[in-house]
Amino acid sequence: MEFRLLGTVGVATETGELPLGPAKRRSLLAALLLRPNTAVPLDQLIDALWPEGPPARARTVTQGHVSRLRALLAQGGADEWGVHLVTRGDAYVLEMPESLLDAHRFDELVRLAHEQRSPDDAAALLREALALWRGPALVGVATGGALRVAADGLEQARISAVEHLARTYGEFGDHARAAGLLHAEAVAHPMRESLAAALMRSLYRAGRQSDAIDQYHRTRTLLAEELGVDPGPALREVYAEILAGDGPGAPPGKPQPASEPEAPQPPRTPAAPDGPDLLPRPPRGFVGRERELAALGAACGPEHAVTVLTGPAGVGKTAAALHWAHSVRDRYDGVLFADLRGFSDDDGSGDCVPETADVLREFLIALGVPGRELPETQGALAAAYRTRTEDRRHLVVLDNARTAAQVRPLLPAGPGSAAVVTSRLRLDGLAVSELARTVALGVLDPAGSAALLAAATGAADRLAAEPEAAARLTELCAGLPLALRVVAARVNARPQWPLAGLADELADEQRRLALLDVDDTGVAAALRLTLRALPEDARLLFHRLGVLPGPDLDRYAAAALTALSPGEAAAALDRLAGAHLVTEPAPGRYVMHDLVRLYARGLARADEQQDTDDALVCLLDHYVRTALRAAAVTEPDDRPCCVLPTGVRPDLGGPCLTDRATGLAWYAAERENLVAAAVAARAAGHDDRAWRLAVLQWPYVVGYVRDDWVPLMEQGLAAAQRLGDPDAESRVRALYGWVLTEEGRLAQAIEQLELAPGLAARAGDPSSEATALVNLAVALDKDGGPGPESLAHVVRAAELARGIDDILTELLALEHRSRQLLALDDHAAVLDCTERGLNLPGASTEGLAPLRQILLRIRRGASLHALGREAEAVVCLREAHDEAVERGFEAGIRKAQERLKRTGSETAMGR
């Protein structure tokens, strides 16, 4: 497990990146990681999440993000790595070995580098430290406040490490390498004088005196124009040293720079003046992509290298390939290019796709073969192509490939040659037959999106004048370069329009994709062509994804949407992932890019209404059925809180849920989907599904009650009321009231809970009535302490449960009655109450029953202590404590320890 701050904030596990979700959750994680093993007050976390000022429900929302983050960490196996997100009063601590944090490892490596006597050793450590960076620090979090300050601090530490590494290269005479390292940083931070000074010195000592002087004048001019100041002493000192002219290269007494030995390369034939060069012009407005370009360069290193640059439609694969190819064209004897038009807008017959033989003819003519000498057959053409490329180093760029078969005959044969293939598909066949490497191109981060929009519009002043509107435009494009370029075209075509007006237009989901199309170019057109290339089962699933209410899905949900088997659905999902129409951020879970989701919704709206409604109901029934199973394994001794709805769709299979851990893990993974499904069910008029999706989450609600469940409860209650079903309404009100009680909203809680018992009685369900009475008593007790009314509610609840042999509900009533009696100092009655609860025949040894008996035992021990029966009290409390430890019942452990301390027992302090 690795926690990452040096780039996009994230958590890498052995099975992939954890799907952290929204920026607020990443901001929360970042704030905790910046102070590992330290209690961070909730107020400080709120400030980190909302630097512009928190909303009214900030505490509840933040607590919800904490709970979701805790569940995600558990899902990623955090316990095995000694990582725990724990609550300390009104603060949270991320307990963890700091070696798991990339920022900590960076600091350690830099510190060790400073301690080295050998420049080689220091350089190795610094390179390792800088390799931990995957982009600007704290990408994906709130852009202001404390996190922005922390990001700036991390960036300053990185630049200092770069300067240290450059000095180290200078110590063993590699000034050219130092200059190359510093140049990129000086461009990114043009007003950091220490960088400019170091770069000037390295350029000068590498024999590039004029470049060093030019760097000084550029920096001096920039400082004067931007800040109105002159260069500082360090910059002037280096400039004076250069003007003194102590030799064109290294200063006296220093050897001339010695370059690091290069890796062996095959002999290269000098480039002919008429060597082939079929590259189109470089892409205009290309920005960013440093990491992907570096990966592309690394992948093209070996002999006969084949690299597949893959990514979704509109992500900029062609632009990245051409930009990189132009930057390295001088390394090769010739550069060949062909657009294979694998995703062209034809009639679907493939007539626009060039024949392999035609591409080979074009390549051979570019390689100097006269047209009259070209062979006739494709096999002979391929043989001639291999012969022409086997003795030289060629770069071949094959754009828009659909299949591996298109590509193989076009690969160059010469040692040291390279082929770059762009495709919306993964082309796994090339990885098998050609050992091709894959470089994935994803969407741009917010900074890259802003830079591309500025470059494409050429209207930096206009964007700067409306920063909020410009940020909304980039956000609505969701990082997709094609969308950003279309928006830039609209901005340029409407010079008098305020950007806010364009952003408001684009915010309309019904019109967004139409606005992101210009002539025959746009997001929808690109997605349509990608979809056309897929088989029928994948296209069907993509259409059905348009009704998906939640943020992600697994193969079982996909099966429910399509009536395929889970295996067939998994294969269809894999095909969509291969075409980058969905991504798989965690094993077995798939998500869609925002604009792809809009396109899928449009397709769903265009389908027959009956088909899309049936697909939604099938998905809802899958969630209801699986939630019933999850509740059954999570709380096996409790009665089901509902049955399947009438007309339930067939069961096509679900995840393997065998015990409490797997049940809770399913709830955690599906929480956002279940909430969204309940909302969608009510909106579509499927109220019988909506209220079930609300109450069936009760085992997870109990564990994470402060996780902002009120919106879900409101949906469930509205659905139950519209149905006119007293059983459904009673169950929702009982759970809703309990959530409100735990949130401290007692007046609202009592309002809900006072209605729940009567509704349950009308429905003829004593168990539901008993639970509602207990919840009402708890709210009344918190509002004014135990009184005759709340005591009577609990007594009645126990009687109802006993009458139908509902042991778990009777234990619930007895547990709360013992709490009330203890608060009233009626210790004899506490002993009678706990005696009954601890000796109930048939009580389960798993689930909630033993946990409730632990609480009964703790209260029994407290009353024994109050009655002066010390020895019995200590024995009783020790038993409760030990059983709570054995079952991992944290609340029981804490309560038992508190009571043991009051008895003066040393056991409390030793456990």
Side-chain angles (χ1 to χ4, degrees), residues 443-504:
V443 296
L444 294 168
D445 60 23
S449 297
L452 177 55
L453 186 63
T457 58
D461 292 344
R462 189 175 171 194
L463 297 177
E466 294 185 72
E468 292 184 5
R472 282 182 65 208
L473 286 173
T474 58
E475 181 181 354
L476 290 167
C477 292
L480 194 67
L482 174 59
L484 288 160
R485 289 179 180 274
V486 173
V487 166
R490 291 191 174 277
V491 169
N492 291 335
R494 296 163 175 80
Q496 305 306 319
W497 277 41
L499 296 183
L502 290 168
D504 289 340

Side-chain angles (χ1 to χ4, degrees), residues 479-772:
L480 194 67
L482 174 59
L484 288 160
R485 289 179 180 274
V486 173
V487 166
R490 291 191 174 277
V491 169
N492 291 335
R494 296 163 175 80
Q496 305 306 319
W497 277 41
L499 296 183
L502 290 168
D504 289 340
E505 269 196 335
L506 206 60
D508 182 354
E509 289 193 356
Q510 302 293 328
R511 299 187 58 211
R512 188 177 308 164
L513 286 177
L515 292 170
L516 291 177
D517 278 343
V518 174
D519 297 330
D520 60 345
T521 300
V523 176
L527 293 172
R528 182 179 68 251
L529 298 176
T530 302
L531 195 60
R532 181 185 292 173
L534 297 177
E536 177 61 30
D537 61 343
R539 293 201 301 273
L540 170 65
L541 175 56
F542 187 80
H543 277 245
R544 293 294 180 261
L545 289 179
V547 304
L548 183 72
D552 65 358
L553 81 164
D554 60 10
R555 60 188 175 124
Y556 302 107
L561 283 169
T562 56
L564 298 170
S565 71
E568 292 169 329
L573 280 167
D574 191 54
R575 291 187 182 100
L576 292 179
H580 301 283
L581 292 172
V582 299
T583 57
E584 191 178 8
R589 302 209 67 85
Y590 298 84
V591 300
M592 285 186 288
H593 182 275
D594 289 349
L595 297 179
V596 177
R597 180 184 289 272
L598 285 181
Y599 183 64
R601 285 177 181 168
L603 294 179
R605 285 194 296 270
D607 288 342
E608 291 290 334
Q609 179 63 36
Q610 184 63 42
D611 290 343
T612 56
D613 191 63
D614 284 347
L616 176 62
V617 173
C618 289
L619 179 67
L620 297 175
D621 286 353
H622 161 70
Y623 285 140
V624 169
R625 182 182 286 109
T626 311
L628 271 168
R629 291 173 46 224
V633 299
T634 304
E635 304 299 347
D637 52 345
D638 200 9
R639 300 185 178 193
C641 67
C642 65
V643 296
L644 290 171
T646 53
V648 66
R649 299 304 196 268
D651 184 1
L652 296 172
C656 181
L657 304 178
T658 56
D659 53 24
R660 180 177 176 80
T662 56
L664 289 176
W666 182 82
Y667 278 123
E670 299 288 356
R671 177 184 171 177
E672 293 180 54
N673 291 322
L674 294 173
V675 172
V679 174
R682 181 166 173 256
H686 301 300
D687 296 304
D688 52 345
R689 273 78 173 172
W691 77 264
R692 285 174 167 86
L693 288 167
V695 299
L696 277 170
Q697 297 185 64
W698 76 266
Y700 196 65
V701 174
V702 168
Y704 302 96
V705 67
R706 295 180 180 271
D707 242 7
D708 194 23
W709 295 101
V710 167
L712 175 65
M713 296 298 110
E714 290 173 344
Q715 291 288 333
L717 180 57
Q721 288 177 306
R722 193 157 65 180
L723 282 173
D725 182 344
D727 178 59
E729 189 175 344
S730 167
R731 293 180 185 279
V732 177
R733 286 190 187 276
L735 184 58
Y736 187 8
W738 185 74
V739 168
L740 290 168
T741 300
E742 291 297 308
E743 289 191 357
R745 298 157 66 176
L746 297 176
Q748 295 169 270
I750 292 170
E751 181 183 345
Q752 296 294 334
L753 291 167
E754 284 180 335
L755 298 173
L759 289 163
R762 279 176 51 199
D765 190 337
S767 179
S768 181
E769 183 181 356
T771 301

Side-chain angles (χ1 to χ4, degrees), residues 209-408:
Q209 182 174 357
S210 61
D211 289 338
I213 293 173
D214 182 58
Q215 178 66 36
Y216 173 79
H217 288 298
R218 283 204 306 273
T219 306
R220 180 181 60 79
T221 301
L222 188 64
L223 289 171
E225 291 177 349
E226 297 291 332
L227 302 178
V229 299
D230 293 325
L235 209 57
R236 293 198 304 270
E237 180 181 332
V238 177
Y239 183 54
E241 174 187 321
I242 295 168
L243 293 179
D246 294 332
K254 294 279 187 182
Q256 290 294 322
S259 60
E260 190 178 75
E262 295 185 358
Q265 295 286 349
R268 176 176 173 183
T269 307
D274 57 349
D277 187 351
L278 300 183
L279 275 183
R281 63 171 175 78
R284 300 182 188 277
F286 186 85
V287 298
R289 300 298 195 189
E290 290 83 1
R291 182 181 62 82
E292 292 90 343
L293 294 174
L296 190 57
C300 289
E303 293 185 0
H304 307 290
V306 180
T307 304
V308 178
L309 185 62
T310 185
V315 82
K317 300 179 292 297
T318 301
L322 289 176
H323 180 85
W324 179 83
H326 276 280
S327 72
V328 300
R329 64 195 303 173
D330 292 341
R331 303 179 193 173
Y332 297 93
D333 299 311
V335 185
L336 303 172
F337 174 89
D339 182 358
L340 301 183
R341 298 195 290 277
F343 301 90
S344 297
D345 193 6
D346 59 16
D347 60 2
S349 64
D351 291 342
C352 288
V353 177
E355 293 289 341
T356 301
D358 292 337
V359 178
L360 287 168
R361 289 188 187 96
E362 182 180 347
F363 281 3
L364 286 169
I365 289 172
L367 290 166
V369 178
R372 63 181 179 277
E373 296 179 13
L374 291 174
E376 292 293 327
T377 66
Q378 179 174 312
L381 287 165
Y385 175 63
R386 287 193 297 273
T387 300
R388 281 280 175 166
T389 58
E390 65 185 0
D391 293 329
R392 296 204 174 196
R393 300 178 67 219
H394 289 93
L395 172 63
V396 179
V397 180
L398 303 172
D399 194 29
N400 269 317
R402 180 182 288 192
T403 67
Q406 277 184 300
V407 170
R408 290 190 185 97

Side-chain angles (χ1 to χ4, degrees), residues 81-157:
W81 295 88
V83 177
H84 306 281
L85 178 49
V86 298
T87 305
R88 298 271 176 83
D90 203 29
Y92 295 96
V93 183
L94 188 57
E95 296 179 346
M96 60 180 290
E98 293 190 20
S99 58
L100 300 180
L101 179 60
D102 60 357
H104 174 79
R105 295 203 307 281
F106 172 79
D107 289 340
E108 286 295 295
L109 288 166
V110 171
R111 181 184 60 78
L112 288 171
H114 280 284
E115 297 173 358
Q116 303 304 307
R117 294 184 178 180
S118 164
D120 286 330
D121 293 340
L125 289 167
L126 289 166
R127 282 195 296 267
E128 184 179 350
L130 291 167
L132 294 171
W133 286 74
R134 298 168 312 285
L138 304 188
V139 171
V141 304
T143 56
L147 293 183
R148 182 71 270 148
V149 173
D152 291 342
L154 289 169
E155 176 66 5
Q156 294 305 315

